[in-house]
Amino acid sequence: VHNDPSGRVRFHGHVPERDRNRLYNESVCVVAPALNEDYGLTVLEAWQQERPVIVCSDGGGLTELVTDGVNGLVVEPTPFAIAQAVDRLCNDPVLGDSLVEGGRESLAVITWPGALDAFESMALTAAGDHDSPTAPPLSMMKQVPAQLAELNDYIAGGFDRVSGWMAAAPVQTLRDLSAAQEQGGHVAEIGIHHGQTFILLALLCGPDEVAVGFDLFENQTENIDGSGLGDREQLEQNLAAAGVPDNRVILETKNSLRLEPDHLLRIAGGRIRLFSVDGGHTAAVTANDLWVADRTLAKGGIVILDDAFSPVWPGVGEGMHNYLRHWSCELIPFGVVDNKTYLTNAVSAAEKYRSVLRTERDGYQLREDELYGSPMVCSKYTRIL
Ligand SMILES: C[S@@+](CC[C@H](N)C(=O)[O-])C[C@H]1O[C@@H](n2cnc3c(N)ncnc32)[C@H](O)[C@@H]1O
């Protein structure tokens, strides 16, 4: 192949690895526009060489690796869209840096042991293993909490004896939102710390519902932003003290970046009606965790996102923005109470839940507004001097 007449395109042909890495390093970004690629090695190379990567929406394996705005850009397969994306990266180094950071986090979880686990579970499924994923039921009947006395004690003040960041208003709000739901389902949390929210979720469960929780626990070296400090022993003590029975709870030590929605559906045995997203507070982890919640949520289920508007965790807002702007997102926000932002996947349910959030509370400012075109009921404790 000859160089193009403009002199601005250079075809290198085969290059040895060292030259290839140098070429990556000299680039503003890497464009991998292949059609229906079976894996997507170029993306891994770009992440490894810390360059932002652009792929096309018909890229097959390439698009399985890249989440738009999180660890790369996914664009329409047209010269104009690709050129626009290159232009964006040339003019917005901050965006480039954040995609590189997202790429670094994504790359960290692509390991041979992980590939082996995925392969083993697919092979077992193909062989008809009993634990293989079966289609979880789409909906469950609504149930009343199985341990009402323990739930009332916890809401009346028990939650204050567990280390955490929840004030009384979000605790009561979660109980009221749960009561307003029309369908049953399991409950889940990513990021448990000592269990302040998780215990509440577990106590809201009906007799056939389970509480599934994921945290890094002892693997705190992977807690890249230092949000909270999971402690499984302390959590188990707190669960027992609050009267949560062992068989109500499924705990896994896991980095949520390695959590597949299907895995959660399988271990829970069905869809999730209340999902607390409170793990890593970076943009990439937040977008990932919202994706897991979105893919596993029951119809009318509620996602409780921590710190989306916190001045000290700006990454959460960025991650929420990136995910809510993603074409595959089905979540709509409907309100905020203190540090918790609430989202659901059904417009009619959102309307019902907003009426729950209109509760007047002493010292609270209550406002109606909108976010991404969705009506919001927002309230925050506001000390007026
Ligand atoms: C803010 S704390 C959670 C607070 C908790 N929800 C509560 O109610 O008290 C954040 C937790 O997320 C965990 N974490 C941080 N990054 C994580 C990740 N990538 N995957 C899973 N858990 C993570 C930390 O170990 C920590 O326990």
Side-chain angles (χ1 to χ4, degrees):
V1 182
H2 299 292
N3 288 349
D4 85 317
S6 73
R8 289 185 298 177
V9 178
R10 210 171 303 153
F11 296 96
H12 289 273
H14 176 82
V15 288
E17 193 169 312
R18 215 188 40 217
D19 292 352
R20 185 203 63 193
N21 291 349
R22 179 181 50 75
L23 289 168
Y24 274 128
N25 281 299
E26 288 170 1
S27 316
V28 172
C29 61
V30 175
V31 182
L35 170 70
N36 220 355
E37 192 72 277
D38 49 6
Y39 183 51
L41 208 55
T42 320
V43 167
L44 301 194
E45 289 175 359
W47 286 345
Q48 200 176 40
Q49 298 306 316
E50 309 203 326
R51 283 293 167 271
V53 64
I54 300 167
V55 301
C56 292
S57 52
D58 58 0
L62 292 162
T63 54
E64 283 174 29
L65 292 168
V66 177
T67 303
D68 186 40
V70 175
N71 52 14
L73 296 177
V74 182
V75 300
E76 290 299 305
T78 64
F80 180 73
I82 295 171
Q84 255 195 332
V86 173
D87 201 36
R88 262 181 90 188
L89 290 170
C90 289
N91 289 293
D92 189 350
V94 175
L95 172 66
D97 287 349
S98 103
L99 299 179
V100 165
E101 178 58 32
R104 198 178 296 132
E105 287 177 18
S106 304
L107 193 63
V109 299
I110 299 178
T111 59
W112 278 115
L116 216 57
D117 280 353
F119 179 76
E120 187 181 51
S121 105
M122 277 188 292
L124 288 171
T125 307
D129 182 69
H130 293 306
D131 286 340
S132 62
T134 47
L138 277 180
S139 62
M140 280 172 77
M141 294 285 283
K142 185 180 167 82
Q143 306 184 357
V144 288
Q147 293 161 279
L148 262 182
E150 287 86 348
L151 174 64
N152 289 335
D153 282 353
Y154 193 72
I155 291 172
F159 75 92
D160 238 355
R161 289 191 283 277
V162 178
S163 145
W165 295 264
M166 288 265 270
V171 169
Q172 290 154 5
T173 303
L174 192 49
R175 175 202 52 200
D176 297 345
L177 286 171
S178 173
Q181 288 187 303
E182 283 173 8
Q183 291 188 359
H186 305 291
V187 301
E189 178 164 60
I190 295 175
I192 311 178
H193 187 64
H194 296 182
Q196 198 182 44
T197 311
F198 188 71
I199 293 169
L200 175 60
L201 289 169
L203 290 173
L204 287 169
C205 285
D208 302 324
E209 296 170 340
V210 291
V212 188
F214 303 94
D215 198 289
L216 293 170
F217 292 128
E218 64 275 19
N219 299 336
Q220 287 297 314
T221 46
E222 292 183 40
N223 190 346
I224 47 176
D225 57 319
S227 53
L229 189 62
D231 182 334
R232 192 165 182 148
E233 211 178 302
Q234 183 65 59
L235 167 67
E236 282 168 357
Q237 277 174 26
N238 293 343
L239 281 162
V244 177
D246 287 350
N247 61 1
R248 172 90 58 236
V249 168
I250 300 168
L251 293 175
E252 276 195 6
T253 302
K254 202 172 198 75
N255 187 328
S256 64
L257 292 171
R258 276 172 231 141
L259 172 58
E260 287 292 330
D262 279 351
H263 173 72
L264 169 52
L265 290 172
R266 181 157 54 87
I267 60 173
R271 296 202 154 261
I272 307 298
R273 69 179 174 91
L274 294 173
F275 200 132
S276 164
V277 172
D278 194 4
H281 278 36
T282 66
V285 175
T286 302
N288 173 79
D289 295 356
L290 285 173
W291 169 73
V292 174
D294 195 4
R295 291 290 169 276
T296 54
L297 209 62
K299 206 71 196 151
I302 296 170
V303 177
I304 305 109
L305 173 64
D306 191 60
D307 279 343
F309 298 98
S310 162
V312 287
W313 298 104
V316 178
E318 184 186 344
M320 176 177 78
H321 174 82
N322 289 340
Y323 188 69
L324 292 185
R325 278 273 171 256
H326 194 258
W327 61 269
S328 70
C329 172
E330 292 186 8
L331 297 176
I332 48 170
F334 62 87
V336 184
V337 177
D338 288 332
N339 56 342
K340 301 291 179 186
T341 299
Y342 304 94
L343 308 101
T344 185
N345 54 11
V347 172
S348 58
E351 188 46 48
K352 185 169 184 196
Y353 300 150
R354 273 190 291 274
S355 62
V356 171
L357 300 190
R358 288 194 182 98
T359 312
E360 297 277 356
R361 288 193 170 83
D362 272 357
Y364 271 74
Q365 181 183 9
L366 191 62
R367 278 195 72 240
E368 307 258 340
D369 209 315
E370 64 174 58
L371 188 67
Y372 300 97
S374 177
M376 298 278 286
V377 177
C378 311
S379 71
K380 182 180 183 304
Y381 182 73
T382 311
R383 194 163 151 255
I384 300 164
L385 296 171

